[in-house]
Amino acid sequence: MRPVRNILDLLYAWRGRVALAEFSRMRIQVVRLCITGDSAECDWLMRPPDQWDHRLPPPVREEHRTGRALDDALQVRELIFRGFPEVHQAKLRMYRDIGGSEPELMLVGHVERETHGAWRPVASIVARARLFGFRFSLIGGGLERIAPS
């Protein structure tokens, strides 16, 4: 019964963060969440550009979207480790839905609960995401599709 309670706690925490706008105004669409022993896997879809950014120049709009996506990845990591005390490692994947065909893999994280050196203060969301174990490709400030490994 405890694993079910942990999942419910995670979903409530996730919903609360959305309501408090820690995430963007649009909700993250979780495609898959699997908890097995001391490991977890979670796949979700990258949110579309924020409607409030539509008047920004395209490079700035892409930088905003990238920042939100990386922040989402860090938040998902935090919620999984906080919600499931027995989980010590997780494989996290973010996909971009391109409508009608297979989603594109945009970010992969093989993350651990204990990440040495990742807690030092880093201003850049890009550097912070890399310190925590996320792998992604940036071109001109925007996330680009990566090859599955």
Side-chain angles (χ1 to χ4, degrees):
M1 197 57 149
R2 181 75 183 140
V4 173
R5 180 69 187 159
N6 286 349
I7 290 172
L8 289 174
D9 289 345
L10 174 71
L11 295 175
Y12 286 127
W14 208 315
R15 184 176 176 195
R17 286 179 185 245
V18 170
L20 295 172
E22 285 186 44
F23 288 139
S24 174
R25 295 168 239 345
M26 291 180 254
R27 294 181 185 230
I28 293 176
Q29 183 179 349
V30 176
V31 177
R32 185 171 79 86
L33 174 63
C34 178
I35 308 295
T36 309
D38 71 342
S39 65
E41 291 188 28
C42 184
D43 299 345
W44 71 94
L45 295 178
M46 183 177 179
R47 291 178 290 153
D50 197 313
Q51 66 181 353
W52 301 104
D53 290 349
H54 77 282
R55 290 188 181 187
L56 295 173
V60 175
R61 187 171 47 232
E62 220 22 63
E63 285 179 16
H64 282 200
R65 185 176 186 198
T66 296
R68 280 191 300 275
L70 295 177
D71 189 51
D72 289 347
L74 292 168
Q75 295 285 343
V76 167
R77 178 197 174 280
E78 179 188 338
L79 286 171
I80 287 175
F81 288 139
R82 186 183 304 157
F84 299 93
E86 68 278 7
V87 170
H88 293 283
Q89 59 188 1
K91 184 173 183 181
L92 308 176
R93 291 178 294 262
M94 181 181 64
Y95 294 88
R96 177 171 55 193
D97 187 8
I98 53 175
S101 69
E102 285 292 311
E104 296 177 328
L105 182 61
M106 303 301 286
L107 173 141
V108 174
H110 296 278
V111 299
E112 296 180 356
R113 178 181 296 276
E114 299 298 323
T115 306
H116 303 287
W119 293 104
R120 62 182 177 226
V122 177
S124 165
I125 187 84
V126 172
R128 198 170 29 217
R130 290 190 195 273
L131 282 171
F132 276 103
F134 289 99
R135 184 175 63 87
F136 49 90
S137 176
L138 286 177
I139 297 179
L143 283 175
E144 291 294 321
R145 179 176 51 102
I146 59 173
S149 56

